[in-house]
Amino acid sequence: MAKRVLCKFFAHGACLKGEHCEFSHDWKDPPNNICTYYQKGVCSYGSRCRYEHVKPSRPESSASSSSMVSLPPTAESSVGVTTVPGVLPELSALSRPYLPPNNPAWNLESGDSGHDDSLEDSDFGELRDLKPADRPICSFAAAGAGNCPRGGKCPHVHGELCPTCGKHCLHPFRPEEREEHIKTCEKKQKHLESLRRSQEIECSVCLDRVLSKPTAAERKFGLLSECDHPFCISCIRNWRNSSATSGVDVNTALRTCPICRKLSYFVIPSVIWYYTPEEKMEIVDSYKGKLRSIDCKHFNFGNGNCPFGTSCFYKHMVKPGSYMWKYHRPPPRRPTARRSNFVDMDSFLDAFEHLIRDDEPDMFDVDFDTDNDHAYRDGRLEEVVLRHLGAEDGDTVIAKDIRLSDFLSNMNIR
Amino acid sequence: MIDFSRVQKELQECSRDMEASGIKVTPVSDNLVNLSGTIPGPIGTPYEGGIFKIDITLPDGYPFEPPKMHFVTKVWHPNVSSQSGAICLDILKDQWSPALTLKTALLSVQALLSAPEPDDPQDAVVAQQYLRDYQTFLGTARYWTETFAKTSSLGVEEKVQKLVEMGFPEALVRSSLEAVGGDENLALEKLCSG
């Protein structure tokens, strides 16, 4: 009975409690769509409220299931609002007197009548009987500085202080959950800290602060593998991709750091700047890790010849029946159609094949210097930039056209 | 597309420490594509005391392409064309970097004045003179600096005024000044000798 109402966090795909959640994670269960503010007096959203405005039908309710409200017919039988553990009494106290509309619901003091207290006791009596580990954590104590309006009478477990986020949200009797929270909390804190420190850093090319650029795609650093000079990703990519028409030397200028002229073979996008070699290593490794999960379009499952060979950052998966699988060597490298001065049938076909291949999503975006024209043959820089999507937590997600369900299940956003 | 916000920033930065560097960049037109820079001749060189004007044109790809620079003031230097003012400097060509700015590029040009590279010349005649007859080179360079890089210190009328006050007739002063290309010292010499 504890899992009758659909968890609203789960409904949005973001319930962090998982199995421990006291609400239902079953889509068949109805959501609690009743506006509690309206029931208690006034909802400031009025007719624009996205919750249902249903008047409580107090007099009919009995003491034990105190507040069966007139729910829509489908939900009526299964939803007993106050019997659901975890619904805060303040929000579910439907038995409270109907207040005049000039008194907003959030001004209500909790526990303002004896009637309420007795009700809460009976409602949460069963909660108190649960083992401490099974009792949910009190969100009032967690959100505020540890002061729950219900004090000692609170049927929920009051969490212990998390030293990182300063909230009382550590469940005293669930060690795994505690550990999990502390871990994610510290990670988040570290990320925020480095994000804060990264604010001041300017790109040496556009002379702007990287994290103050107008669009989200631009608010990203481009790390060079061999030195520690900061640039924004668009500037450094622009520079490395700028054509030879400007007369700038490719190997002694274009592929080097604009400041120290150290040759770097690739650029790593990152939302944060680093302060220690370990931090840089972490960023580089996570970027490479992401690329390794994507199939190399040049290698083409063993049917193509990747110009980067074994040093390619992308996945080289040999499919049974492919050229590589049969002959244990990559197929001969085709001459690029642009370079050849004569046209034979093979290169003619190759040229077409190249066109067809380029219609596929172009995943290639690491600037190796070995084969400039291969990676940027069509000069689609924007597309390359767009394929680096920022996750909410600032991680770089490299988009790939797969089905949404696969995408959700594979995505590894922390 | 030129990154104008960067150009704007560069100009501000440049005017901020103009006192220290002596390098000045001013826009010629409103569009910030054509600019004009001036650098003082480095001390201890035949260019000392001169103010050299450089014309700057920003290409479409700036700052990913180098700015186009050439001397407007005539300079006698192995790496600067004595005819066109074209500058032979690697950072303005294949060694350009987007981290360089107009100011740093002009500083490099200034450094080029004090350290000529006669083995990679822009003007073969000057380079040959530099290698074979260094003293003559110094004299010519100094003379060109005096003649072309210092004229703007006083206005023509002021020079005329000054020479007239010394007791020369105004018409003669004007013709002498014109004959020596505006240099008051040369004009005085001419007036005294003639």
Side-chain angles (χ1 to χ4, degrees), chain A residues 167-411:
Chain A
K167 284 180 186 161
H168 291 260
C169 50
L170 296 178
H171 200 294
F173 306 106
R174 292 181 193 162
E176 297 115 62
E177 213 177 285
R178 279 174 76 102
E179 214 164 283
E180 181 73 26
H181 173 87
I182 291 173
K183 233 168 62 205
T184 48
C185 211
E186 276 173 357
K187 210 173 202 173
K188 230 185 256 169
Q189 198 71 20
K190 215 174 125 197
H191 185 80
L192 275 176
E193 174 66 16
S194 32
L195 203 59
R196 198 179 53 73
R197 284 188 300 178
S198 311
Q199 293 297 330
E200 297 293 312
I201 292 178
E202 282 177 6
C203 166
S204 311
V205 174
C206 59
L207 310 176
D208 283 331
R209 283 185 187 172
V210 177
L211 297 181
S212 307
K213 302 283 273 184
T215 66
E218 289 174 290
R219 288 193 285 269
K220 213 173 276 178
F221 295 95
L223 279 49
L224 290 172
S225 57
E226 304 302 319
C227 71
D228 300 322
H229 294 113
F231 304 100
C232 56
I233 185 76
S234 48
C235 280
I236 193 69
R237 278 186 198 274
N238 253 339
W239 168 238
R240 292 170 75 92
N241 293 340
S242 55
S243 60
T245 52
S246 59
V248 177
D249 193 273
V250 172
N251 281 318
T252 61
L254 220 51
R255 297 288 163 190
T256 60
C257 167
I259 296 175
C260 67
R261 297 194 187 265
K262 196 155 184 199
L263 190 64
S264 279
Y265 292 101
F266 54 95
V267 175
I268 305 109
S270 169
V271 170
I272 53 166
W273 187 246
Y274 57 89
Y275 286 86
T276 62
E278 292 77 33
E279 281 171 17
K280 181 178 185 179
M281 192 104 90
E282 200 178 307
I283 294 169
V284 175
D285 286 348
S286 96
Y287 179 63
K288 282 189 182 171
K290 271 167 205 149
L291 294 190
R292 252 197 307 277
S293 68
I294 299 167
D295 290 306
C296 173
K297 80 162 192 178
H298 297 286
F299 188 74
N300 192 17
F301 303 106
N303 282 320
N305 190 334
C306 174
F308 309 112
T310 48
S311 57
C312 182
F313 282 2
Y314 288 87
K315 189 158 80 183
H316 280 191
M317 196 183 72
V318 181
K319 249 190 195 163
S322 66
Y323 192 98
M324 189 76 170
W325 188 77
K326 281 187 221 155
Y327 306 107
H328 295 283
R329 61 183 163 83
R333 192 102 180 263
R334 318 186 191 99
T336 47
R338 217 177 50 182
R339 280 184 190 153
S340 55
N341 290 326
F342 60 95
V343 179
D344 58 10
M345 204 55 199
D346 270 354
S347 60
F348 187 70
L349 287 173
D350 281 348
F352 270 99
E353 198 173 339
H354 159 239
L355 285 176
I356 295 158
R357 271 157 54 92
D358 266 13
D359 284 343
E360 296 166 13
D362 188 342
M363 297 304 304
F364 213 87
D365 55 75
V366 181
D367 337 8
F368 287 90
D369 69 333
T370 48
D371 199 341
N372 185 30
D373 69 342
H374 215 109
Y376 300 108
R377 180 153 29 203
D378 52 11
R380 280 188 295 171
L381 181 67
E382 277 88 2
E383 186 162 13
V384 164
V385 173
L386 280 175
R387 287 186 185 283
H388 284 84
L389 304 175
E392 221 165 272
D393 64 347
D395 265 17
T396 299
V397 176
I398 293 134
K400 191 180 179 184
D401 66 338
I402 53 173
R403 274 176 299 151
L404 185 64
S405 54
D406 295 348
F407 183 68
L408 289 172
S409 61
N410 289 340
M411 211 157 55

Side-chain angles (χ1 to χ4, degrees), chain B residues 102-155:
Chain B
L102 294 175
K103 191 188 125 194
T104 52
L106 286 173
L107 270 173
S108 296
V109 172
Q110 196 188 25
L112 181 72
L113 288 184
S114 47
E117 297 272 358
D119 297 329
D120 183 20
Q122 173 75 32
D123 193 310
V125 177
V126 186
Q128 214 156 42
Q129 192 189 55
Y130 182 91
L131 291 170
R132 292 195 182 153
D133 189 355
Y134 187 65
Q135 287 312 314
T136 316
F137 164 78
L138 281 184
T140 321
R142 206 169 287 132
Y143 181 74
W144 277 45
T145 307
E146 291 291 330
T147 313
F148 303 114
K150 281 185 176 171
T151 47
S152 56
S153 59
L154 280 177

Side-chain angles (χ1 to χ4, degrees), chain A residues 40-68:
Chain A
K40 279 188 282 182
V42 151
C43 170
S44 59
Y45 289 105
S47 57
R48 285 176 297 124
C49 183
R50 55 185 167 141
Y51 293 95
E52 286 170 54
H53 280 184
V54 184
K55 285 256 161 63
S57 47
R58 281 198 303 121
E60 289 84 16
S61 58
S62 67
S64 59
S65 62
S66 59
S67 50
M68 286 297 288

Side-chain angles (χ1 to χ4, degrees), chain A residues 40-109:
Chain A
K40 279 188 282 182
V42 151
C43 170
S44 59
Y45 289 105
S47 57
R48 285 176 297 124
C49 183
R50 55 185 167 141
Y51 293 95
E52 286 170 54
H53 280 184
V54 184
K55 285 256 161 63
S57 47
R58 281 198 303 121
E60 289 84 16
S61 58
S62 67
S64 59
S65 62
S66 59
S67 50
M68 286 297 288
V69 285
S70 49
L71 290 168
T74 49
E76 199 167 20
S77 57
S78 58
V79 182
V81 178
T82 52
T83 53
V84 176
V87 175
L88 301 170
E90 271 70 19
L91 298 180
S92 62
L94 307 172
S95 54
R96 222 170 247 134
Y98 185 77
L99 285 148
N102 58 2
N103 190 3
W106 49 86
N107 284 349
L108 288 173
E109 290 293 311

